[in-house]
Amino acid sequence: MPNFRPTTEIDLIGHNFVINHWAPRQAMHNLPKIGKIIAVPMGAIGGELLNGGKNLAEVLPTALVYLFEQLDDKSIDELFSILFADVVVDGVDKVDIDKLFVGNLFAMLKLAGKVLEVNYGSFFTQEGLDGLMSMLQGMQMANQINSLDQETQE
């Protein structure tokens, strides 16, 4: 059986980029590596957007300051290496950010955002966030019940 992974195409700066979606295990392996860099600012921005975005002008600068504090040369290289590892440009090449995005960093960020969207987009829907909150609340409830059970046994 052939190894089939879905793909998403995006055209930017005169090039066609094909994003090979990550397998679930790969997405989960990449999650902590990516999350340590962008989780807090993206969560703040995403949460504000889900609430209508009325306070986005206040949330965005704080989120960006936090993001910039997390970024050093090593984490920037690691982040873009992970994000673009399974992206093919013009059907033949891997993405070389230093050649493709000279003078157009916004296009590079758009591509990075698209990679995150296709691989983790379900986390940022209302259903995904509600499901995650329900799961975490259930885990908290189970912890509380376990604590009560232990107290009554003593």
Side-chain angles (χ1 to χ4, degrees):
M1 182 174 183
N3 185 10
F4 172 77
R5 289 192 301 171
T7 60
T8 298
E9 291 188 38
I10 182 171
D11 292 320
L12 295 168
I13 58 170
H15 296 280
N16 176 260
F17 296 89
V18 177
I19 301 165
N20 293 290
H21 296 213
W22 296 335
R25 191 175 311 203
Q26 183 181 7
M28 293 309 291
H29 285 204
N30 288 340
L31 188 60
K33 297 171 191 169
I34 296 168
K36 73 180 180 184
I37 299 169
I38 65 169
V40 171
M42 291 301 295
I45 293 167
E48 180 55 35
L49 290 173
L50 285 174
N51 288 326
K54 293 179 183 174
N55 296 319
L56 189 59
E58 296 169 19
V59 171
L60 191 58
T62 304
L64 289 175
V65 166
Y66 183 88
L67 177 64
F68 294 144
E69 287 176 352
Q70 303 306 307
L71 293 174
D72 58 19
D73 290 347
K74 182 180 175 187
S75 62
I76 289 169
D77 290 343
E78 180 181 18
L79 178 63
F80 287 107
S81 291
I82 291 168
L83 292 177
F84 297 154
D86 289 317
V87 177
V88 177
V89 61
D90 297 329
V92 292
D93 294 321
K94 292 288 185 181
V95 173
D96 181 341
I97 61 175
D98 291 326
K99 290 182 181 174
L100 286 170
F101 299 109
V102 172
N104 204 332
L105 292 177
F106 184 67
M108 183 177 78
L109 295 177
K110 275 181 85 168
L111 181 60
K114 192 66 172 178
V115 171
L116 290 169
E117 177 188 326
V118 301
N119 289 295
Y120 299 110
S122 63
F123 282 128
F124 300 104
T125 64
Q126 189 63 47
E127 179 184 353
L129 292 174
D130 286 346
L132 185 59
M133 289 303 293
S134 295
M135 183 178 73
L136 291 173
Q137 288 169 347
M139 290 169 51
Q140 182 180 9
M141 181 80 74
N143 261 350
Q144 291 172 348
I145 291 170
N146 286 339
S147 295
L148 287 175
D149 283 346
Q150 289 176 1
E151 288 175 11
T152 56
Q153 291 176 0
E154 293 174 358

